[in-house]
Short mmCIF file of all heavy atoms in Angstrom, two decimals:
data_model
loop_
_atom_site.label_atom_id
_atom_site.label_comp_id
_atom_site.label_asym_id
_atom_site.label_seq_id
_atom_site.Cartn_x
_atom_site.Cartn_y
_atom_site.Cartn_z
N HIS Q 33 94.20 105.64 47.08
CA HIS Q 33 93.61 104.27 47.48
C HIS Q 33 94.21 103.21 46.63
O HIS Q 33 94.71 103.44 45.44
CB HIS Q 33 92.15 104.35 47.27
CG HIS Q 33 91.32 103.23 48.03
ND1 HIS Q 33 91.11 102.10 47.24
CD2 HIS Q 33 90.79 103.03 49.15
CE1 HIS Q 33 90.54 101.15 48.09
NE2 HIS Q 33 90.24 101.75 49.18
N TYR Q 35 92.84 101.13 44.85
CA TYR Q 35 92.10 100.88 43.66
C TYR Q 35 92.38 101.94 42.55
O TYR Q 35 91.91 101.89 41.41
CB TYR Q 35 90.53 101.02 43.87
CG TYR Q 35 89.95 99.91 44.80
CD1 TYR Q 35 88.60 100.10 45.22
CD2 TYR Q 35 90.64 98.94 45.38
CE1 TYR Q 35 87.92 99.20 46.01
CE2 TYR Q 35 90.01 98.01 46.22
CZ TYR Q 35 88.78 98.21 46.64
OH TYR Q 35 88.15 97.29 47.39
N ASP Q 49 93.90 101.91 52.50
CA ASP Q 49 92.41 101.67 52.40
C ASP Q 49 91.77 102.85 52.97
O ASP Q 49 92.39 103.83 53.51
CB ASP Q 49 92.08 100.33 52.97
CG ASP Q 49 92.18 100.09 54.57
OD1 ASP Q 49 92.67 101.15 55.15
OD2 ASP Q 49 91.80 99.22 55.04
N SER Q 50 90.41 102.76 53.06
CA SER Q 50 89.69 103.90 53.48
C SER Q 50 89.99 104.41 54.90
O SER Q 50 90.13 105.60 55.21
CB SER Q 50 88.15 103.67 53.46
OG SER Q 50 87.81 103.20 52.14
N LEU Q 51 90.18 103.47 55.86
CA LEU Q 51 90.59 103.84 57.15
C LEU Q 51 92.02 104.47 57.18
O LEU Q 51 92.08 105.52 57.84
CB LEU Q 51 90.51 102.62 58.18
CG LEU Q 51 90.67 102.90 59.55
CD1 LEU Q 51 89.53 103.84 60.14
CD2 LEU Q 51 90.69 101.66 60.58
N VAL Q 70 88.09 108.68 45.58
CA VAL Q 70 86.76 109.21 45.14
C VAL Q 70 86.26 110.32 46.08
O VAL Q 70 86.84 110.56 47.13
CB VAL Q 70 85.56 108.07 44.96
CG1 VAL Q 70 86.18 107.14 43.91
CG2 VAL Q 70 85.52 107.29 46.27
N PHE Q 72 83.83 110.96 48.27
CA PHE Q 72 83.60 110.99 49.61
C PHE Q 72 84.91 110.91 50.49
O PHE Q 72 84.92 111.29 51.62
CB PHE Q 72 82.61 109.84 50.11
CG PHE Q 72 83.25 108.42 50.07
CD1 PHE Q 72 84.02 108.08 51.18
CD2 PHE Q 72 83.21 107.58 48.86
CE1 PHE Q 72 84.61 106.71 51.16
CE2 PHE Q 72 83.88 106.36 48.93
CZ PHE Q 72 84.45 105.94 50.09
N MET Q 73 85.93 110.38 49.88
CA MET Q 73 87.29 110.29 50.68
C MET Q 73 87.82 111.64 50.87
O MET Q 73 88.32 111.92 51.90
CB MET Q 73 88.21 109.35 49.87
CG MET Q 73 87.78 107.91 49.84
SD MET Q 73 88.94 106.86 48.85
CE MET Q 73 88.13 105.29 49.15
N CYS Q 95 80.75 107.68 43.69
CA CYS Q 95 80.75 106.17 44.28
C CYS Q 95 79.34 105.68 44.21
O CYS Q 95 78.53 106.42 44.91
CB CYS Q 95 81.38 106.07 45.62
SG CYS Q 95 81.04 104.66 46.53
N TYR Q 121 78.65 103.44 56.78
CA TYR Q 121 79.93 103.23 56.19
C TYR Q 121 80.57 104.47 55.86
O TYR Q 121 79.79 105.46 55.49
CB TYR Q 121 79.49 102.27 54.93
CG TYR Q 121 80.77 101.54 54.40
CD1 TYR Q 121 81.91 101.18 55.10
CD2 TYR Q 121 80.69 101.24 53.02
CE1 TYR Q 121 82.75 100.34 54.48
CE2 TYR Q 121 81.66 100.43 52.48
CZ TYR Q 121 82.86 100.14 53.18
OH TYR Q 121 83.74 99.27 52.72
N ASN Q 123 81.68 105.36 53.23
CA ASN Q 123 81.26 105.58 51.73
C ASN Q 123 79.82 106.24 51.83
O ASN Q 123 78.94 105.80 51.44
CB ASN Q 123 81.06 104.31 50.85
CG ASN Q 123 82.43 103.64 50.83
OD1 ASN Q 123 83.16 103.36 51.82
ND2 ASN Q 123 82.79 103.09 49.74
N THR Q 137 84.62 101.84 58.76
CA THR Q 137 85.04 101.37 57.42
C THR Q 137 85.03 99.92 57.50
O THR Q 137 84.64 99.21 58.50
CB THR Q 137 86.50 101.81 57.18
OG1 THR Q 137 87.30 101.08 57.80
CG2 THR Q 137 86.77 103.42 57.40
N SER Q 138 85.27 99.28 56.44
CA SER Q 138 85.29 97.83 56.33
C SER Q 138 86.28 97.30 57.30
O SER Q 138 86.14 96.05 57.71
CB SER Q 138 85.53 97.23 54.92
OG SER Q 138 86.79 97.69 54.41
N SER Q 139 87.40 97.85 57.72
CA SER Q 139 88.40 97.60 58.46
C SER Q 139 87.92 97.41 59.97
O SER Q 139 88.47 96.62 60.76
CB SER Q 139 89.59 98.42 58.57
OG SER Q 139 90.26 98.38 57.41
N CYS Q 181 77.72 98.09 46.22
CA CYS Q 181 78.84 98.64 45.32
C CYS Q 181 78.76 97.91 44.00
O CYS Q 181 78.68 96.74 43.95
CB CYS Q 181 80.24 98.38 46.00
SG CYS Q 181 81.56 98.35 44.75
N HIS Q 184 81.63 95.14 43.58
CA HIS Q 184 81.57 93.99 44.46
C HIS Q 184 80.31 93.17 44.25
O HIS Q 184 80.17 92.00 44.68
CB HIS Q 184 81.69 94.41 45.91
CG HIS Q 184 83.20 94.85 46.17
ND1 HIS Q 184 83.55 96.23 46.00
CD2 HIS Q 184 84.41 94.24 46.51
CE1 HIS Q 184 84.86 96.27 46.29
NE2 HIS Q 184 85.35 95.02 46.55
N HIS Q 207 86.42 90.69 49.85
CA HIS Q 207 86.03 91.86 50.48
C HIS Q 207 84.57 91.74 51.05
O HIS Q 207 83.79 91.23 50.27
CB HIS Q 207 86.18 93.13 49.58
CG HIS Q 207 86.28 94.38 50.23
ND1 HIS Q 207 85.14 94.98 50.59
CD2 HIS Q 207 87.27 95.21 50.54
CE1 HIS Q 207 85.39 96.22 51.19
NE2 HIS Q 207 86.82 96.36 51.22
N GLU Q 209 82.31 93.87 51.04
CA GLU Q 209 81.31 94.47 50.06
C GLU Q 209 80.59 93.59 49.17
O GLU Q 209 79.69 93.88 48.44
CB GLU Q 209 81.93 95.73 49.32
CG GLU Q 209 82.08 96.91 50.23
CD GLU Q 209 82.71 98.11 49.53
OE1 GLU Q 209 82.83 98.06 48.24
OE2 GLU Q 209 83.37 99.04 50.07
N SER Q 228 88.70 93.31 54.90
CA SER Q 228 88.72 94.68 54.27
C SER Q 228 89.91 94.57 53.27
O SER Q 228 90.86 93.64 53.26
CB SER Q 228 88.91 95.70 55.19
OG SER Q 228 90.29 95.52 55.93
N THR Q 229 90.25 95.77 52.57
CA THR Q 229 91.41 95.77 51.76
C THR Q 229 92.72 95.54 52.49
O THR Q 229 93.48 94.67 52.15
CB THR Q 229 91.39 97.13 50.93
OG1 THR Q 229 90.21 97.33 50.17
CG2 THR Q 229 92.60 97.20 49.93
N SER Q 230 92.77 96.01 53.70
CA SER Q 230 94.03 95.90 54.45
C SER Q 230 94.15 94.53 54.99
O SER Q 230 95.19 93.88 54.95
CB SER Q 230 94.18 96.94 55.58
OG SER Q 230 93.17 96.98 56.35
N MET Q 277 87.42 105.14 40.42
CA MET Q 277 88.84 105.24 41.00
C MET Q 277 89.77 105.48 39.90
O MET Q 277 90.98 105.87 40.13
CB MET Q 277 89.12 103.88 41.75
CG MET Q 277 88.44 103.85 42.96
SD MET Q 277 89.23 104.72 44.32
CE MET Q 277 88.33 104.22 45.70
P1 13P Z 430 88.16 99.69 52.02
O1 13P Z 430 89.21 100.69 51.56
O2 13P Z 430 87.69 100.03 53.41
O3 13P Z 430 88.55 98.32 51.95
O4 13P Z 430 86.86 99.90 51.04
C1 13P Z 430 86.81 99.52 49.77
C2 13P Z 430 86.19 100.44 48.87
O5 13P Z 430 85.31 99.93 48.07
C3 13P Z 430 86.46 101.82 48.79
O6 13P Z 430 85.51 102.58 48.29
#
Side-chain angles (χ1 to χ4, degrees):
H33 193 276
Y35 298 173
D49 67 353
S50 304
L51 184 61
V70 293
F72 77 80
M73 296 179 173
C95 164
Y121 199 25
N123 299 43
T137 76
S138 61
S139 291
C181 159
H184 292 90
H207 195 282
E209 284 174 20
S228 64
T229 303
S230 55
M277 288 280 192

